Amino acid sequence: MTVATSIDHQVVEELDSCVLGNLDVIEQGIELLESLNDEQYQFKAKPYVESSIGEHMRHNLDLYFSLIEEKTKGIIDYDFRRRGAPVEHCRQTAMAELKQIKQWLLELKLEDIYRQVEVKTEVRLNVSCSEQLGSSMARELIFVAAHAVHHYALIRVSALFCNAEVDTGFGYAPATTTYLRG
């Protein structure tokens, strides 16, 4: 299912492309979770993928919630993590959170998308060191969607490993799907 089939066509025409790309990613996540059972959601395809599908999904959700919480916190804090939270083990919680993010995306106004924001993120592997810099919400929406797609590629490995049905385009970047349509 594409966003165009799950959202009123007139609404799609009014949405920004950054938002539409994120809605595509969120819809893919919802569709995948609807096709999995709870055991598959918690599956780890070790040694190929160290984290469960739920842990990857939680990570994606955390990044989206960092965007959502920027208005109240005054910063997009990508260091925020909910490791071990119920969403890692509960598909229904993850689906509810994806739907919450979808609603937030649908309510974004152009002035929200193209305004300047501050971003904080860790940048070192061997010591704790975060950088803070300026960006735009549009740039961060693009980043979070692309990051989610790469995690979807790992989720795809785990899902296929446990015999789940996975859409052929799940985990493919927009440039890859453009190339394949070519």
Side-chain angles (χ1 to χ4, degrees), residues 83-138:
R83 289 182 179 94
V87 70
E88 291 184 352
H89 310 287
C90 179
R91 252 179 347 107
Q92 298 304 324
T93 300
M95 279 196 282
E97 289 187 7
L98 284 167
K99 290 174 183 175
Q100 179 183 349
I101 292 163
K102 179 179 175 180
Q103 188 59 43
W104 173 76
L105 288 164
L106 289 168
E107 292 171 3
L108 281 176
K109 307 279 186 255
L110 279 178
E111 59 266 20
D112 296 324
I113 298 166
Y114 289 96
R115 68 186 173 79
Q116 295 301 297
V117 296
E118 286 290 311
V119 177
K120 176 182 165 278
T121 188
E122 286 206 42
V123 294
R124 299 277 315 271
L125 293 176
N126 299 318
V127 295
S128 293
C129 178
S130 291
E131 288 288 334
Q132 186 171 325
L133 60 148
S135 186
S136 69
M137 184 59 79

Side-chain angles (χ1 to χ4, degrees), residues 138-157:
R139 165 65 184 91
E140 299 312 310
L141 283 164
I142 292 166
F143 162 72
V144 170
H147 189 85
V149 167
H150 286 284
H151 276 273
Y152 282 3
L154 294 168
I155 289 170
R156 178 185 187 80
V157 171

Side-chain angles (χ1 to χ4, degrees), residues 23-174:
L23 288 168
D24 288 341
V25 170
I26 296 301
E27 283 295 323
Q28 277 193 329
I30 291 169
E31 288 175 19
L32 176 77
L33 295 185
E34 288 173 343
S35 74
L36 297 177
N37 61 41
D38 293 336
E39 185 179 323
Q40 291 167 325
Y41 183 70
Q42 297 175 37
F43 181 75
K44 296 181 184 186
K46 288 187 174 186
Y48 308 106
V49 181
E50 293 294 318
S51 299
S52 70
I53 292 170
E55 289 167 327
H56 283 286
M57 194 61 70
R58 187 269 312 148
H59 175 65
N60 288 340
L61 293 163
D62 284 352
L63 294 185
Y64 274 104
F65 282 121
S66 293
L67 297 182
I68 291 170
E69 293 171 2
E70 183 274 336
K71 279 246 180 177
T72 56
K73 290 185 174 182
I75 193 165
I76 296 170
D77 183 1
Y78 288 133
D79 298 337
F80 166 75
R81 299 289 193 274
R82 298 177 295 160
R83 289 182 179 94
V87 70
E88 291 184 352
H89 310 287
C90 179
R91 252 179 347 107
Q92 298 304 324
T93 300
M95 279 196 282
E97 289 187 7
L98 284 167
K99 290 174 183 175
Q100 179 183 349
I101 292 163
K102 179 179 175 180
Q103 188 59 43
W104 173 76
L105 288 164
L106 289 168
E107 292 171 3
L108 281 176
K109 307 279 186 255
L110 279 178
E111 59 266 20
D112 296 324
I113 298 166
Y114 289 96
R115 68 186 173 79
Q116 295 301 297
V117 296
E118 286 290 311
V119 177
K120 176 182 165 278
T121 188
E122 286 206 42
V123 294
R124 299 277 315 271
L125 293 176
N126 299 318
V127 295
S128 293
C129 178
S130 291
E131 288 288 334
Q132 186 171 325
L133 60 148
S135 186
S136 69
M137 184 59 79
R139 165 65 184 91
E140 299 312 310
L141 283 164
I142 292 166
F143 162 72
V144 170
H147 189 85
V149 167
H150 286 284
H151 276 273
Y152 282 3
L154 294 168
I155 289 170
R156 178 185 187 80
V157 171
S158 294
L160 291 172
F161 206 83
C162 67
N163 299 316
E165 261 189 60
V166 182
D167 184 72
T168 55
F170 188 82
Y172 287 17

